[in-house]
Coordinates of all heavy atoms in Angstrom, one line a residue:
M1 N -5.1 -9.2 0.1 CA -5.7 -7.9 -0.1 C -4.6 -7.0 -0.7 O -3.5 -7.0 -0.3 CB -6.1 -7.4 1.3 CG -6.9 -6.0 1.1 SD -7.4 -5.3 2.7 CE -8.4 -6.6 3.4
S2 N -5.0 -6.3 -1.8 CA -4.1 -5.5 -2.5 C -3.8 -4.2 -1.7 O -4.5 -3.9 -0.7 CB -4.6 -5.1 -3.8 OG -5.7 -4.1 -3.6
S3 N -2.6 -3.5 -2.1 CA -2.3 -2.3 -1.4 C -3.4 -1.3 -1.5 O -3.7 -0.6 -0.5 CB -1.0 -1.7 -2.0 OG 0.1 -2.6 -1.9
L4 N -4.0 -1.2 -2.6 CA -5.2 -0.2 -2.8 C -6.3 -0.5 -1.9 O -6.9 0.3 -1.2 CB -5.6 -0.2 -4.3 CG -6.8 0.7 -4.6 CD1 -6.4 2.1 -4.2 CD2 -7.2 0.6 -6.1
E5 N -6.6 -1.8 -1.8 CA -7.7 -2.2 -0.9 C -7.4 -1.9 0.6 O -8.2 -1.5 1.4 CB -8.1 -3.7 -1.0 CG -8.7 -4.0 -2.4 CD -8.8 -5.6 -2.6 OE1 -7.8 -6.3 -2.1 OE2 -9.7 -5.9 -3.3
Q6 N -6.1 -2.1 1.0 CA -5.7 -1.8 2.3 C -5.8 -0.3 2.6 O -6.1 0.1 3.7 CB -4.3 -2.4 2.6 CG -4.3 -3.8 2.6 CD -2.8 -4.4 2.8 OE1 -2.2 -4.1 3.8 NE2 -2.3 -5.1 1.8
I7 N -5.4 0.5 1.6 CA -5.5 2.0 1.7 C -6.9 2.4 1.9 O -7.3 3.2 2.8 CB -4.9 2.7 0.5 CG1 -3.4 2.5 0.5 CG2 -5.2 4.2 0.6 CD1 -2.7 2.9 -0.9
Q8 N -7.8 1.8 1.1 CA -9.2 2.1 1.2 C -9.7 1.7 2.6 O -10.5 2.5 3.2 CB -10.0 1.4 0.2 CG -9.7 1.9 -1.2 CD -10.4 1.2 -2.3 OE1 -10.2 -0.1 -2.4 NE2 -11.0 1.8 -3.2
Q9 N -9.3 0.6 3.1 CA -9.7 0.2 4.5 C -9.2 1.2 5.5 O -9.9 1.5 6.5 CB -9.1 -1.2 4.7 CG -9.6 -1.8 6.0 CD -9.2 -3.3 6.2 OE1 -8.2 -3.7 5.6 NE2 -9.9 -4.0 6.9
L10 N -7.9 1.7 5.4 CA -7.4 2.6 6.3 C -8.2 3.9 6.3 O -8.5 4.5 7.4 CB -6.0 3.1 5.9 CG -4.9 2.0 6.3 CD1 -3.6 2.5 5.7 CD2 -4.7 1.9 7.8
L11 N -8.7 4.3 5.1 CA -9.5 5.5 4.9 C -10.8 5.4 5.8 O -11.2 6.3 6.4 CB -9.9 5.8 3.5 CG -9.0 6.6 2.7 CD1 -9.5 6.7 1.2 CD2 -8.9 8.1 3.2
E12 N -11.4 4.2 5.7 CA -12.6 4.0 6.4 C -12.4 3.9 7.9 O -13.1 4.5 8.7 CB -13.3 2.7 5.9 CG -14.7 2.5 6.4 CD -15.5 1.6 5.5 OE1 -14.9 0.6 5.0 OE2 -16.7 1.7 5.5
E13 N -11.4 3.1 8.3 CA -11.2 2.8 9.7 C -10.7 4.1 10.5 O -11.1 4.4 11.6 CB -10.1 1.8 9.9 CG -10.6 0.4 9.5 CD -9.6 -0.7 9.5 OE1 -8.4 -0.4 9.9 OE2 -9.9 -1.8 9.2
K14 N -9.7 4.8 9.9 CA -9.0 6.0 10.6 C -9.8 7.3 10.3 O -9.7 8.2 11.2 CB -7.6 6.0 10.1 CG -6.8 4.8 10.4 CD -5.4 5.2 11.0 CE -4.6 4.0 11.2 NZ -4.4 3.8 12.7
F15 N -10.5 7.4 9.3 CA -11.0 8.8 8.9 C -12.5 8.7 8.7 O -13.1 9.8 8.4 CB -10.3 9.3 7.7 CG -8.9 9.4 7.8 CD1 -8.0 8.5 7.2 CD2 -8.2 10.4 8.6 CE1 -6.6 8.6 7.4 CE2 -6.9 10.4 8.8 CZ -6.1 9.5 8.2
G16 N -13.1 7.6 8.7 CA -14.6 7.4 8.5 C -15.1 7.8 7.1 O -16.2 8.2 6.9
I17 N -14.2 7.7 6.2 CA -14.5 8.0 4.8 C -14.8 6.7 4.0 O -14.1 5.8 4.0 CB -13.3 8.8 4.1 CG1 -13.0 10.0 4.8 CG2 -13.6 9.0 2.6 CD1 -11.7 10.7 4.3
D18 N -16.0 6.7 3.5 CA -16.4 5.5 2.7 C -15.6 5.5 1.4 O -15.7 6.3 0.6 CB -17.9 5.7 2.3 CG -18.5 4.5 1.6 OD1 -17.7 3.5 1.3 OD2 -19.6 4.5 1.2
P19 N -14.8 4.4 1.3 CA -14.0 4.3 0.1 C -14.8 4.2 -1.2 O -14.2 4.6 -2.3 CB -13.2 3.0 0.3 CG -13.9 2.3 1.4 CD -14.7 3.2 2.2
Q20 N -16.0 3.9 -1.2 CA -16.8 3.7 -2.4 C -17.1 5.2 -2.9 O -17.5 5.3 -4.1 CB -18.1 3.0 -2.2 CG -17.9 1.6 -1.6 CD -16.9 0.8 -2.6 OE1 -17.1 0.8 -3.7 NE2 -16.0 0.0 -2.0
T21 N -16.9 6.2 -2.1 CA -17.1 7.5 -2.6 C -16.0 8.2 -3.2 O -16.0 9.4 -3.7 CB -17.6 8.5 -1.4 OG1 -16.6 8.6 -0.4 CG2 -18.9 7.8 -0.7
I22 N -14.8 7.5 -3.2 CA -13.5 8.1 -3.7 C -13.1 7.4 -5.0 O -13.1 6.2 -5.1 CB -12.4 7.9 -2.7 CG1 -12.7 8.4 -1.3 CG2 -11.1 8.4 -3.2 CD1 -12.8 9.9 -1.3
D23 N -12.9 8.2 -6.0 CA -12.4 7.8 -7.2 C -10.9 7.5 -7.1 O -10.2 8.5 -6.9 CB -12.7 8.8 -8.4 CG -12.1 8.3 -9.8 OD1 -11.4 7.4 -9.8 OD2 -12.5 9.0 -10.8
V24 N -10.4 6.3 -7.2 CA -9.0 6.0 -6.9 C -8.0 6.7 -7.9 O -6.9 6.7 -7.6 CB -8.8 4.5 -6.8 CG1 -9.7 3.9 -5.7 CG2 -9.0 3.8 -8.2
H25 N -8.6 7.1 -9.0 CA -7.7 7.7 -10.1 C -7.8 9.2 -10.1 O -7.0 9.8 -10.9 CB -8.0 7.1 -11.4 CG -7.8 5.6 -11.5 ND1 -6.5 5.0 -11.5 CD2 -8.6 4.6 -11.5 CE1 -6.6 3.8 -11.5 NE2 -8.0 3.4 -11.5
A26 N -8.6 9.8 -9.3 CA -8.8 11.2 -9.2 C -8.0 11.8 -8.1 O -7.8 11.1 -7.1 CB -10.2 11.6 -9.1
S27 N -7.6 13.0 -8.2 CA -6.9 13.7 -7.0 C -7.8 13.7 -5.8 O -9.0 14.0 -5.9 CB -6.6 15.1 -7.4 OG -6.1 15.8 -6.3
V28 N -7.2 13.2 -4.7 CA -8.0 13.2 -3.5 C -8.2 14.6 -2.9 O -9.3 14.8 -2.3 CB -7.2 12.4 -2.4 CG1 -7.2 10.9 -2.8 CG2 -5.9 12.9 -2.0
R29 N -7.5 15.5 -3.4 CA -7.8 16.9 -3.0 C -9.0 17.5 -3.6 O -9.6 18.4 -3.1 CB -6.6 17.8 -3.4 CG -5.3 17.4 -2.5 CD -4.2 18.4 -2.8 NE -3.0 18.0 -2.0 CZ -1.9 17.4 -2.3 NH1 -1.8 17.0 -3.6 NH2 -1.0 17.2 -1.5
E30 N -9.4 16.9 -4.7 CA -10.6 17.3 -5.4 C -11.9 16.5 -4.9 O -12.9 16.7 -5.3 CB -10.5 17.1 -6.9 CG -9.4 17.9 -7.5 CD -9.1 17.6 -9.0 OE1 -9.8 16.6 -9.5 OE2 -8.3 18.2 -9.6
Q31 N -11.6 15.6 -3.9 CA -12.7 14.8 -3.4 C -12.8 15.2 -1.9 O -12.8 16.4 -1.6 CB -12.4 13.4 -3.6 CG -12.3 13.1 -5.1 CD -12.0 11.6 -5.4 OE1 -12.8 10.8 -5.2 NE2 -10.7 11.3 -5.8
S32 N -13.1 14.3 -1.1 CA -13.4 14.7 0.3 C -12.2 14.6 1.3 O -12.3 14.5 2.5 CB -14.5 13.7 0.9 OG -14.0 12.4 0.8
I33 N -11.0 14.6 0.7 CA -9.7 14.6 1.5 C -8.9 15.8 1.3 O -8.5 16.1 0.2 CB -8.9 13.3 1.1 CG1 -9.7 12.0 1.3 CG2 -7.6 13.2 1.9 CD1 -9.1 10.8 0.8
D34 N -8.7 16.6 2.4 CA -7.9 17.8 2.3 C -6.5 17.4 2.5 O -6.1 16.3 2.8 CB -8.5 18.8 3.3 CG -8.3 18.4 4.8 OD1 -7.5 17.5 5.1 OD2 -9.1 18.9 5.6
S35 N -5.6 18.4 2.4 CA -4.2 18.1 2.5 C -3.7 17.7 3.8 O -2.8 16.8 3.9 CB -3.4 19.4 2.1 OG -3.7 20.5 2.9
L36 N -4.3 18.1 4.9 CA -4.0 17.6 6.2 C -4.4 16.2 6.4 O -3.6 15.3 6.9 CB -4.6 18.4 7.3 CG -4.3 18.0 8.8 CD1 -2.9 18.0 9.0 CD2 -5.1 18.9 9.7
T37 N -5.6 15.8 5.9 CA -6.0 14.4 6.0 C -5.1 13.5 5.1 O -4.7 12.3 5.5 CB -7.4 14.2 5.6 OG1 -8.2 15.1 6.4 CG2 -7.9 12.8 5.7
L38 N -4.7 14.0 4.0 CA -3.8 13.3 3.1 C -2.5 13.0 3.8 O -1.9 11.9 3.7 CB -3.5 14.0 1.7 CG -2.6 13.3 0.8 CD1 -3.1 12.0 0.4 CD2 -2.3 14.2 -0.4
L39 N -1.9 14.0 4.5 CA -0.7 13.8 5.3 C -0.9 12.8 6.3 O 0.0 11.9 6.5 CB -0.2 15.2 5.9 CG 1.1 15.2 6.5 CD1 2.3 14.8 5.6 CD2 1.4 16.6 7.1
E40 N -2.0 12.9 7.0 CA -2.3 11.9 8.1 C -2.4 10.5 7.4 O -2.0 9.4 8.1 CB -3.6 12.3 8.8 CG -3.3 13.4 9.7 CD -4.6 14.0 10.3 OE1 -5.7 13.5 10.0 OE2 -4.6 14.8 11.3
L41 N -3.0 10.4 6.3 CA -3.2 9.1 5.6 C -1.8 8.6 5.2 O -1.5 7.3 5.5 CB -4.0 9.3 4.4 CG -4.2 8.0 3.5 CD1 -4.8 6.9 4.3 CD2 -4.9 8.3 2.2
I42 N -0.9 9.4 4.8 CA 0.5 8.9 4.5 C 1.1 8.4 5.7 O 1.8 7.3 5.6 CB 1.3 10.0 3.7 CG1 0.7 10.2 2.3 CG2 2.7 9.7 3.7 CD1 1.3 11.4 1.6
F43 N 1.0 9.1 6.9 CA 1.6 8.6 8.1 C 1.0 7.2 8.5 O 1.7 6.3 8.9 CB 1.4 9.6 9.2 CG 2.2 10.8 9.1 CD1 1.7 12.0 9.6 CD2 3.5 10.8 8.6 CE1 2.4 13.2 9.5 CE2 4.3 12.0 8.5 CZ 3.8 13.1 8.9
A44 N -0.3 7.1 8.2 CA -1.0 5.8 8.6 C -0.5 4.7 7.6 O -0.4 3.6 8.1 CB -2.5 6.0 8.5
I45 N -0.3 5.1 6.4 CA 0.2 4.1 5.4 C 1.6 3.6 5.8 O 1.9 2.5 5.8 CB 0.2 4.7 4.0 CG1 -1.2 4.8 3.4 CG2 1.1 3.9 3.1 CD1 -1.3 5.6 2.2
E46 N 2.5 4.6 6.1 CA 3.8 4.3 6.6 C 3.8 3.3 7.8 O 4.6 2.3 7.8 CB 4.6 5.5 7.0 CG 5.0 6.4 5.9 CD 5.8 7.5 6.2 OE1 5.5 8.2 7.3 OE2 6.6 8.0 5.5
E47 N 2.9 3.5 8.7 CA 2.8 2.7 9.9 C 2.2 1.3 9.5 O 2.8 0.3 9.9 CB 1.9 3.3 11.0 CG 1.8 2.5 12.2 CD 1.0 3.2 13.2 OE1 1.1 4.5 13.4 OE2 0.1 2.6 13.9
H48 N 1.2 1.3 8.7 CA 0.5 0.1 8.4 C 1.4 -0.9 7.6 O 1.4 -2.1 7.8 CB -0.8 0.4 7.6 CG -1.5 -0.8 7.1 ND1 -2.3 -1.5 7.9 CD2 -1.5 -1.5 5.9 CE1 -2.8 -2.5 7.3 NE2 -2.3 -2.5 6.0
F49 N 2.1 -0.2 6.6 CA 3.0 -1.1 5.7 C 4.4 -1.2 6.1 O 5.3 -1.8 5.5 CB 2.9 -0.5 4.3 CG 1.6 -0.7 3.6 CD1 0.7 0.3 3.6 CD2 1.3 -1.9 3.0 CE1 -0.5 0.2 2.9 CE2 0.1 -2.1 2.3 CZ -0.9 -1.1 2.3
D50 N 4.7 -0.5 7.3 CA 6.1 -0.5 7.8 C 7.1 0.0 6.7 O 8.1 -0.6 6.4 CB 6.5 -1.8 8.4 CG 7.9 -1.7 9.2 OD1 8.1 -0.6 9.7 OD2 8.5 -2.8 9.2
I51 N 6.8 1.2 6.1 CA 7.7 1.8 5.1 C 7.9 3.2 5.5 O 7.2 3.8 6.3 CB 7.0 1.7 3.7 CG1 5.6 2.5 3.6 CG2 6.8 0.2 3.3 CD1 5.1 2.6 2.3
T52 N 8.8 3.8 4.7 CA 9.0 5.3 4.7 C 8.6 5.8 3.3 O 9.2 5.3 2.4 CB 10.4 5.7 5.1 OG1 10.7 5.1 6.3 CG2 10.6 7.2 5.1
F53 N 7.6 6.6 3.3 CA 7.1 7.1 2.0 C 8.2 8.1 1.5 O 8.6 9.0 2.1 CB 5.8 7.9 2.2 CG 5.0 8.0 1.0 CD1 4.2 6.9 0.6 CD2 5.1 9.1 0.1 CE1 3.4 7.0 -0.6 CE2 4.3 9.1 -1.0 CZ 3.5 8.1 -1.4
P54 N 8.7 7.9 0.2 CA 9.8 8.6 -0.3 C 9.4 10.1 -0.6 O 8.3 10.4 -1.1 CB 10.1 8.0 -1.7 CG 9.1 6.8 -1.9 CD 8.2 6.8 -0.7
E55 N 10.2 11.0 -0.1 CA 9.9 12.4 -0.2 C 9.8 12.9 -1.6 O 8.9 13.8 -1.9 CB 11.0 13.2 0.5 CG 10.7 14.7 0.7 CD 11.6 15.4 1.6 OE1 12.1 14.8 2.6 OE2 12.0 16.5 1.3
E56 N 10.5 12.3 -2.5 CA 10.4 12.6 -3.9 C 9.1 12.2 -4.6 O 8.7 12.6 -5.7 CB 11.5 12.1 -4.7 CG 11.7 10.6 -4.8 CD 12.4 9.9 -3.7 OE1 12.8 10.6 -2.7 OE2 12.7 8.7 -3.8
R57 N 8.3 11.4 -3.9 CA 7.0 11.1 -4.4 C 5.8 11.8 -3.6 O 4.7 11.3 -3.7 CB 6.8 9.5 -4.3 CG 7.7 8.7 -5.1 CD 7.7 9.0 -6.5 NE 6.4 9.0 -7.2 CZ 5.8 7.9 -7.7 NH1 6.4 6.8 -7.8 NH2 4.6 8.1 -8.3
S58 N 6.2 12.9 -2.9 CA 5.1 13.6 -2.2 C 4.1 14.3 -3.1 O 3.1 14.8 -2.6 CB 5.8 14.7 -1.3 OG 6.5 15.6 -2.2
D59 N 4.3 14.3 -4.5 CA 3.4 14.8 -5.4 C 2.2 13.9 -5.6 O 1.2 14.3 -6.2 CB 4.1 15.2 -6.7 CG 4.7 14.0 -7.4 OD1 5.1 13.0 -6.6 OD2 4.8 13.9 -8.6
V60 N 2.3 12.6 -5.2 CA 1.3 11.7 -5.5 C 0.0 12.0 -4.7 O 0.1 12.2 -3.5 CB 1.8 10.2 -5.1 CG1 0.6 9.2 -5.3 CG2 2.9 9.8 -6.0
D61 N -1.1 12.2 -5.4 CA -2.3 12.5 -4.6 C -3.5 11.7 -5.1 O -4.7 12.2 -5.0 CB -2.6 14.0 -4.6 CG -3.0 14.5 -6.0 OD1 -2.9 13.8 -7.0 OD2 -3.6 15.6 -6.0
T62 N -3.3 10.5 -5.6 CA -4.5 9.6 -6.0 C -4.3 8.4 -5.1 O -3.1 8.0 -4.8 CB -4.6 9.3 -7.4 OG1 -3.4 8.5 -7.8 CG2 -4.6 10.5 -8.3
L63 N -5.3 7.7 -4.8 CA -5.2 6.4 -4.1 C -4.5 5.4 -4.9 O -3.7 4.7 -4.4 CB -6.6 5.9 -3.7 CG -7.4 6.8 -2.7 CD1 -8.6 6.0 -2.3 CD2 -6.6 7.2 -1.5
A64 N -4.8 5.4 -6.2 CA -4.0 4.4 -7.1 C -2.6 4.8 -7.1 O -1.7 3.8 -7.1 CB -4.6 4.5 -8.5
G65 N -2.2 6.0 -7.2 CA -0.8 6.4 -7.1 C -0.1 6.0 -5.9 O 1.1 5.6 -5.8
L66 N -0.8 6.2 -4.7 CA -0.2 5.8 -3.4 C 0.0 4.3 -3.4 O 1.1 3.8 -2.9 CB -1.2 6.2 -2.3 CG -1.3 7.7 -2.0 CD1 -2.5 7.9 -1.0 CD2 0.0 8.3 -1.5
A67 N -0.9 3.6 -3.9 CA -0.8 2.1 -3.9 C 0.4 1.7 -4.9 O 1.2 0.8 -4.5 CB -2.0 1.4 -4.4
E68 N 0.6 2.4 -6.0 CA 1.7 2.1 -6.8 C 3.1 2.3 -6.2 O 4.0 1.5 -6.3 CB 1.5 3.0 -8.1 CG 2.7 2.8 -9.1 CD 2.4 3.7 -10.3 OE1 1.3 3.9 -10.8 OE2 3.5 4.3 -10.8
V69 N 3.2 3.5 -5.4 CA 4.4 3.8 -4.6 C 4.7 2.6 -3.6 O 5.7 2.1 -3.5 CB 4.4 5.2 -4.0 CG1 5.5 5.3 -3.1 CG2 4.3 6.2 -5.0
I70 N 3.6 2.2 -2.9 CA 3.7 1.2 -1.9 C 4.2 -0.1 -2.5 O 5.1 -0.8 -2.1 CB 2.4 1.0 -1.1 CG1 2.1 2.2 -0.3 CG2 2.5 -0.3 -0.3 CD1 0.7 2.3 0.1
D71 N 3.5 -0.4 -3.6 CA 3.9 -1.7 -4.3 C 5.4 -1.6 -4.8 O 6.0 -2.7 -4.7 CB 3.0 -2.0 -5.5 CG 1.5 -2.4 -5.0 OD1 1.4 -2.7 -3.9 OD2 0.7 -2.2 -5.9
G72 N 5.8 -0.5 -5.3 CA 7.2 -0.4 -5.7 C 8.2 -0.5 -4.5 O 9.2 -1.2 -4.7
I73 N 7.9 0.0 -3.4 CA 8.8 -0.1 -2.2 C 8.8 -1.5 -1.8 O 9.9 -2.0 -1.5 CB 8.3 0.8 -1.1 CG1 8.4 2.3 -1.5 CG2 8.9 0.5 0.3 CD1 7.7 3.2 -0.5
R74 N 7.6 -2.2 -1.7 CA 7.6 -3.6 -1.3 C 8.3 -4.5 -2.3 O 9.0 -5.5 -1.8 CB 6.2 -4.0 -1.1 CG 5.4 -3.2 0.0 CD 4.0 -3.4 0.1 NE 3.6 -4.6 0.8 CZ 2.4 -5.1 0.9 NH1 1.4 -4.5 0.3 NH2 2.2 -6.2 1.6
S75 N 8.2 -4.2 -3.6 CA 8.9 -5.1 -4.5 C 10.4 -4.9 -4.4 O 11.2 -5.9 -4.6 CB 8.4 -4.9 -5.9 OG 8.7 -3.7 -6.4
T76 N 10.8 -3.7 -4.2 CA 12.3 -3.4 -3.9 C 12.8 -4.2 -2.7 O 13.9 -4.7 -2.8 CB 12.5 -1.9 -3.8 OG1 12.1 -1.3 -5.0 CG2 14.0 -1.7 -3.6
R77 N 12.0 -4.2 -1.7 CA 12.4 -5.0 -0.5 C 12.5 -6.4 -0.7 O 13.4 -7.1 -0.1 CB 11.4 -4.7 0.7 CG 11.6 -3.5 1.4 CD 10.6 -3.5 2.6 NE 10.6 -2.3 3.3 CZ 9.7 -2.0 4.2 NH1 8.8 -2.9 4.6 NH2 9.8 -0.9 4.9
A78 N 11.6 -7.0 -1.5 CA 11.5 -8.4 -1.7 C 12.7 -8.9 -2.6 O 13.0 -10.1 -2.6 CB 10.2 -8.8 -2.4
A79 N 13.3 -7.9 -3.3 CA 14.3 -8.4 -4.3 C 15.6 -8.6 -3.6 O 15.9 -8.4 -2.6 CB 14.5 -7.3 -5.3

């Protein structure tokens, strides 16, 4: 399962948000996710993937962007 699919699964499991209603390339703030939920999602992502989300990437607000950051962190670890 890809990082993006796992994020979508977290959205559904933790927040009851149907991932099919979210455009992965659009700002989540313009959809059904407010800034507090986004912060909670980032905490859930950190726990799920056992990572620390880089503070310098706090501007990321699309699901695709979050997945890209996660994939970058994971590839750096694997190297």
Side-chain angles (χ1 to χ4, degrees):
M1 185 181 302
S2 72
S3 297
L4 180 57
E5 291 169 329
Q6 290 179 63
I7 292 169
Q8 290 173 312
Q9 185 175 25
L10 282 172
L11 269 178
E12 189 164 29
E13 290 174 0
K14 299 222 180 248
F15 305 103
I17 298 171
D18 181 358
Q20 301 306 316
T21 64
I22 304 292
D23 178 350
V24 299
H25 299 288
S27 170
V28 294
R29 292 182 178 106
E30 296 172 1
Q31 300 180 72
S32 61
I33 301 175
D34 61 24
S35 57
L36 178 58
T37 304
L38 178 59
L39 185 59
E40 291 174 347
L41 176 60
I42 290 173
F43 289 144
I45 287 170
E46 288 181 325
E47 183 178 316
H48 178 81
F49 290 98
D50 192 29
I51 62 170
T52 300
F53 204 84
E55 195 170 316
E56 63 272 8
R57 296 304 311 266
S58 63
D59 61 327
V60 174
D61 73 342
T62 67
L63 297 186
L66 291 171
E68 183 180 314
V69 172
I70 292 164
D71 290 342
I73 292 169
R74 293 168 86 186
S75 68
T76 300
R77 276 191 188 169

